Amino acid sequence: MPQAHNGLVDDSLDNLVLSARARVLADLVARHQATAAAVSALEDACESRQWWAQQWPEGEVYVAGLVAQDVQDALFENVGRWPMCLACDDGPVHSLYIQPDLGGPEPVWVCEETGQVAAALGHLAR
Ligand SMILES: [Zn+2]
């Protein structure tokens, strides 16, 4: 397979990962969490999920949500919870999480308390 990295399959995976990166970055920016540490965690997540999708092409629909979950986990360990739920007025402060839990298809942020959809991935309100 000459020039496999220029083939259509790899190009589409590159685009998929770039799009996942853009969506997660938009949600980091929306919540003022686009720190150097968060962006670095995002780069790591994109790299490992790109590798993962190369091994299992059917997994492509899960990439964006999985990248978001990876960044969420990395931030939780080092910085704190992201993204927070802004919709609920009472009760303890809580996070949003990615639904479907597998990461896709069509990943959305859901309130962990009410199960209500807050936004599609990449569309969190500021
Ligand atoms: Zn909530």
Side-chain angles (χ1 to χ4, degrees), residues 91-115:
V93 174
H94 52 274
S95 318
L96 303 172
Y97 67 96
I98 288 290
Q99 192 86 322
D101 199 39
L102 281 173
E106 309 292 328
V108 293
W109 290 112
V110 169
C111 167
E112 70 180 6
E113 293 288 326
T114 66

Side-chain angles (χ1 to χ4, degrees), residues 51-110:
W51 179 87
W52 178 83
Q54 279 165 350
Q55 317 307 309
W56 189 49
E58 292 80 9
E60 287 190 0
V61 291
Y62 309 115
V63 164
L66 288 170
V67 167
Q69 288 172 336
D70 289 348
V71 172
Q72 186 170 42
D73 289 347
L75 287 181
F76 185 73
E77 281 170 27
N78 301 306
V79 181
R81 289 186 287 181
W82 163 85
M84 307 308 291
C85 178
L86 303 181
C88 300
D89 290 330
D90 38 55
V93 174
H94 52 274
S95 318
L96 303 172
Y97 67 96
I98 288 290
Q99 192 86 322
D101 199 39
L102 281 173
E106 309 292 328
V108 293
W109 290 112
V110 169

